[in-house]
Amino acid sequence: MRLSIDGAERVFAPEVLVVIGYAGRDRAAVEHHIDELAELGVPRPVSIPLFMVFPPWLISQAPSIAVAGSQSSGEAEIVVVVDGDEAFVTLGSDHTDRVLESVDIAASKAVCPKPVATSGWPAAAVGDRWEDLTLRSRIDGGVVYQDGSAAGNLPPLELVAAIPWAGPRPGCFAAFTGTVPVIGGIRPSAGFSAELSGPGLEPVELSYRVETVPALEG
């Protein structure tokens, strides 16, 4: 995994990928969202926030990803990359199979690659301005899909510090730390682009195509 940080390329070797769900600051709003998802058949999470671990090879920096089935979609998220005592910030898309999500949340995420941008910032450059960061995304034809403030979520470094490791913390890992609401309902698209921005920071951009593998008869 490679990120351009302050104009220089930095290479990372994550040992694990962590996806953190239900990371909103407003617990009542989180519970309301859980109730909404329950009506669609999505089971209640076992914890709030929900911490899920996956192999690092799910991380993708390719211009396209391949998925099975036509009902998957992305969502823009702040990604924190921890490498030893250092932390860096970038942008990712927690691409998820929405059909499988109604059966098993973790499995619905495990079957899709997780696109990550190729640039980022040192966490120190954000400082205490996490609430000033903005996540935006667009789908096919430039349709606005997300446009929200990170202030609605728990601070990313606070979430990363709360990951309940069963043993020693990995030396290097990447963590997706929550998204913002979609506009017009969750839906698939053949293309997804996103931007993470903040005052005085060079925007981080991500763009990828979604290719569906051929289906079989029967």
Side-chain angles (χ1 to χ4, degrees), residues 86-157:
E86 299 180 282
F88 302 88
V89 182
T90 187
L91 170 65
S93 174
D94 180 15
H95 207 91
T96 301
D97 184 308
R98 301 302 173 182
V99 174
L100 188 54
E101 190 175 29
S102 65
V103 179
D104 187 312
I105 296 173
S108 72
K109 298 179 180 299
V111 298
C112 296
K114 297 289 182 273
V116 172
T118 57
S119 65
W121 317 311
V126 180
D128 60 358
R129 298 175 298 164
W130 293 96
E131 294 185 2
D132 296 330
L133 301 184
T134 299
L135 283 164
R136 297 184 177 91
S137 71
R138 295 177 182 273
I139 56 175
D140 296 331
V143 176
V144 177
Y145 190 61
Q146 294 171 284
D147 189 349
S149 168
N153 290 339
L154 293 168
L157 293 185

Side-chain angles (χ1 to χ4, degrees), residues 32-210:
H32 178 67
H33 180 54
I34 290 172
D35 291 341
E36 288 180 323
L37 291 174
E39 293 179 1
L40 300 175
V42 178
R44 182 179 178 83
V46 296
S47 67
I48 302 173
L50 177 64
F51 297 92
M52 296 165 282
V53 293
F54 302 100
W57 47 257
L58 281 179
I59 297 171
S60 172
Q61 292 184 300
S64 66
I65 63 171
V67 297
S70 61
Q71 297 301 309
S72 69
S73 62
E75 51 190 32
E77 300 205 11
I78 295 173
V79 177
V80 175
V81 181
V82 174
D83 192 17
D85 295 329
E86 299 180 282
F88 302 88
V89 182
T90 187
L91 170 65
S93 174
D94 180 15
H95 207 91
T96 301
D97 184 308
R98 301 302 173 182
V99 174
L100 188 54
E101 190 175 29
S102 65
V103 179
D104 187 312
I105 296 173
S108 72
K109 298 179 180 299
V111 298
C112 296
K114 297 289 182 273
V116 172
T118 57
S119 65
W121 317 311
V126 180
D128 60 358
R129 298 175 298 164
W130 293 96
E131 294 185 2
D132 296 330
L133 301 184
T134 299
L135 283 164
R136 297 184 177 91
S137 71
R138 295 177 182 273
I139 56 175
D140 296 331
V143 176
V144 177
Y145 190 61
Q146 294 171 284
D147 189 349
S149 168
N153 290 339
L154 293 168
L157 293 185
E158 179 180 313
L159 288 166
V160 168
I163 296 172
W165 302 110
R169 192 200 78 179
C172 183
F173 65 93
F176 281 64
T177 64
T179 189
V180 296
V182 303
I183 299 168
I186 295 172
R187 55 200 187 276
S189 64
F192 186 91
S193 63
E195 178 185 276
L196 172 64
S197 60
L201 297 166
E202 186 72 21
V204 178
E205 298 179 343
L206 170 66
S207 179
Y208 64 95
R209 299 185 307 278
V210 181

